[in-house]
Amino acid sequence: MTVTKKEYILAVDVGTTSTRAILFDETAEAITTSQTEYDQIYPHPGWHEQRLDDLIGTVNACLEGVAEKLPGLGISKSDIPVISITNQRETACVWSRSTGKQLFNAIAWPDTRNTVTVRQLSYKSPKGLDALKEKTGLPLSTYFSGTKLRWMLDHIAEVQEAHEKDDLMFGTVESWVLWNLTGGLDGGLHYTDITNASRTMFMSLKELAWDKDCLEFFGVKESCLPKIVSNAEVYGKIKSGPFAGTPIAGMIGDQQAALVGNKCIELGSAKNTYGTGAFMLFNTGEEIVPSNYGLLTTTGYRAGPKATPVYALEGSIAVAGSSVKWLRDQMGLIQETTEINGLAEKVKDTGGMYFVPAFSGLFAPYWDDTAAGTVVGMTAYTNKSHMARATLEATCFQTRAILEAMAKDSKKRLQVLRVDGGMTNSDICMQLQADILGIEVERPVMRESTALGSAICAGVAMGLFGWDLSKPETLAKVNVTGKTTFKPENDEADRAKRWKGWEKAVSRARHWNDETGLVSRTPGAFESDELQVPPNKY
């Protein structure tokens, strides 16, 4: 009798505030995990930085943490044939080709210091903020890593000098991590995958290559950029540490990783990740679908260097789980975030009340940074349970708004929404989501979809478990045990009435701050003043 050796995939997930390493088996059971937080640096309002040494340091710490647990689990390092990487997208990293040291702290994806940079770039084209949208699928924005690099080239002497001398290496977080894991100065590989590359504003969506016109527009040399690779191939091997010699495969940005992790690999499937904000991706297949309704066009994944790329539409919600924290920390209506569920369940509806949590304007599909947080429809009957329920409904309504835009852009209607993230722990929130959308909502038991997505890509690259992203049936056993499906419990008339109320509430919230001189605009909104740049101490 032949005993089949059991194999595992170790996924490294470098998030916004911490790094995790999660060991998966072929059914997506998380066998063990190791997690380490790292410092967030806020030099000025709107500025958000991270140390490059912290990013790779926490990766190494998490790999060591998993390695230490393996003997107790009866698992050998030889049972782990591959390690994958997923990461916070749009965070810009710069380091020296000659020394391997950072030239400036990483500028994290939420950072908005480059508002004036965006304005100046928009003046270079009659299309304004849409100057490169046809090629990249993106509007000029503070969000994307290319405008962050342009800011550093304009303001940080060390970065500018390195760029001029061809000593500059630029990448997003996965590039920095891969370069270090594969040797750094000793032969480290300078690669990025198509999902992270698509968020730089330097890459042509059609060609999946650095675009000369885009680089000229930004004034960036191609010599500082990493090589673009697919999401499912072997890139190299780890040079040192407890997993020395282990191949690295499966690099993919976090939201696209969640698309794969939720098995949204069929045309017209979609996922929503409910975190502090919420990010929804809709699989448009091989077609690059331009958005006319406030969404981003982006890459989904490429399952190998010769595979046909899959594209997606993306919509983001600025305030999701953070609205619950606001009820706790600012309003004092609850002591713990989980209490919102019990409060919301005490009433059958919101009593006609709507809450639009536009604390920093509205993201997709409205893109109105003059919108303000608004509560409407209150009466003497309204109590804190109505407010709790309206807070949960707000995220669900915003999700519907994005899906409505996706349907208009793609000409396809979603049948099932797959979900992950912290807010999905709430049964009542997910039931409200099903009722508001009028479709089924699927929630898996294992909700580490970001790490799982990169693990699946690595498995495909290594030929493990028979996984094939072009054949959904090969993933049939992945993360299905204990799956919960929420089905709509109301009728279309009720949905239409509630949706009409939401749209009225949003109309009250929009343009609220117009009188301050602000105007409604697309992503990358800029401010009038530029902060003084501190000396580079890095």
Side-chain angles (χ1 to χ4, degrees), residues 63-351:
L63 290 176
E64 291 170 1
V66 168
E68 291 171 358
K69 296 178 181 179
L70 294 180
L73 297 168
I75 298 173
S76 168
K77 292 174 188 175
S78 64
D79 298 331
I80 305 172
V82 66
I83 290 174
S84 67
I85 301 171
T86 184
N87 60 287
Q88 50 167 311
R89 303 174 305 172
E90 295 97 11
T91 294
C93 304
V94 288
W95 65 100
S96 166
R97 191 183 308 277
S98 58
T99 69
K101 301 296 184 182
Q102 72 169 45
L103 295 167
F104 194 70
N105 278 342
I107 299 181
W109 63 270
D111 189 289
T112 57
R113 75 183 66 192
N114 50 349
T115 51
V116 173
T117 304
V118 169
R119 177 177 62 188
Q120 293 168 341
L121 288 169
S122 72
Y123 293 160
K124 296 179 67 172
S125 168
K127 294 182 180 179
L129 295 174
D130 288 339
L132 302 176
K133 191 173 182 182
E134 186 175 346
K135 286 194 172 188
T136 67
L138 311 173
L140 287 169
S141 170
T142 59
Y143 188 19
F144 305 116
S145 51
T147 56
K148 294 178 171 66
L149 175 58
R150 184 63 258 171
W151 183 92
M152 287 188 276
L153 289 170
D154 290 337
H155 296 92
I156 307 302
E158 292 86 345
V159 177
Q160 184 181 57
E161 183 179 355
H163 186 248
E164 291 172 353
K165 295 180 177 180
D166 282 334
D167 188 47
L168 175 65
M169 298 184 80
F170 165 80
T172 38
V173 171
E174 86 296 341
S175 297
W176 168 248
V177 170
L178 180 72
W179 185 78
N180 278 277
L181 290 180
T182 55
L185 290 174
D186 185 17
L189 300 172
H190 192 205
Y191 294 169
T192 185
D193 70 275
I194 65 164
T195 63
N196 281 291
S198 73
R199 314 296 285 199
T200 60
M201 300 200 76
F202 300 154
M203 190 190 83
S204 162
L205 280 179
K206 183 179 180 181
E207 303 298 331
L208 299 181
W210 301 126
D211 185 89
K212 294 187 183 303
D213 291 338
C214 292
L215 294 178
E216 183 180 347
F217 181 87
F218 279 98
V220 170
K221 293 183 179 180
E222 188 171 348
S223 60
C224 74
L225 303 180
K227 175 184 176 181
I228 300 175
V229 295
S230 77
N231 301 112
E233 60 183 281
V234 177
Y235 313 111
K237 294 182 178 180
I238 292 183
K239 196 84 168 185
S240 60
F243 292 98
T246 304
I248 301 173
M251 275 196 319
I252 184 168
D254 56 6
Q255 298 308 320
Q256 283 92 339
L259 187 77
V260 175
N262 277 295
K263 300 190 292 186
C264 296
I265 56 177
E266 298 150 309
L267 174 66
S269 56
K271 70 89 187 176
N272 197 18
T273 299
Y274 301 76
T276 299
F279 296 87
M280 193 178 315
L281 266 71
F282 183 98
N283 184 327
T284 63
E286 299 175 13
E287 184 180 2
I288 300 173
V289 178
S291 178
N292 296 313
Y293 297 95
L295 304 175
L296 304 177
T297 304
T298 191
T299 52
Y301 56 87
R302 191 178 195 182
K306 296 182 180 180
T308 302
V310 171
Y311 295 91
L313 286 168
E314 179 173 335
S316 54
I317 298 168
V319 177
S322 56
S323 63
V324 179
K325 292 182 179 179
W326 177 79
L327 283 188
R328 180 193 67 188
D329 300 337
Q330 303 301 112
M331 303 303 290
L333 292 184
I334 53 178
Q335 298 299 311
E336 300 292 338
T337 54
T338 53
E339 292 176 21
I340 193 172
N341 301 315
L343 262 185
E345 288 175 331
K346 289 182 179 180
V347 290
K348 64 179 182 179
D349 55 40
T350 64

Side-chain angles (χ1 to χ4, degrees), residues 8-29:
Y8 305 86
I9 297 174
L10 181 56
V12 174
D13 182 355
V14 189
T16 303
T17 59
S18 68
T19 297
R20 288 175 294 177
I22 304 175
L23 189 67
F24 291 106
D25 68 10
E26 64 181 297
T27 65
E29 181 182 351

Side-chain angles (χ1 to χ4, degrees), residues 272 274 278 280 282 293 295 315-317 354 364-366 392-408 412-414 417 432-439 441 488 490-503 506:
N272 197 18
Y274 301 76
M280 193 178 315
F282 183 98
Y293 297 95
L295 304 175
S316 54
I317 298 168
Y354 291 87
Y366 310 107
L392 296 179
E393 284 193 354
T395 297
C396 301
F397 279 124
Q398 289 180 93
T399 297
R400 174 167 171 171
I402 291 174
L403 283 182
E404 293 283 340
M406 288 178 170
K408 291 175 183 175
K412 295 178 178 65
R413 278 281 170 186
L414 190 67
L417 178 65
L432 287 169
Q433 186 68 89
D435 291 344
I436 287 169
L437 294 179
I439 62 175
V441 173
N490 59 343
D491 58 26
E492 185 56 41
D494 178 66
R495 277 191 291 278
K497 179 181 178 182
R498 292 162 72 180
W499 179 244
K500 184 178 180 180
W502 169 258
E503 289 188 309
V506 169

Side-chain angles (χ1 to χ4, degrees), residues 349-367:
D349 55 40
T350 64
M353 190 186 95
Y354 291 87
F355 173 33
V356 183
F359 298 144
S360 55
L362 289 167
F363 280 13
Y366 310 107
W367 293 117

Side-chain angles (χ1 to χ4, degrees), residues 365-378:
Y366 310 107
W367 293 117
D368 182 358
D369 63 355
T370 71
T374 306
V375 178
V376 297
M378 288 193 296

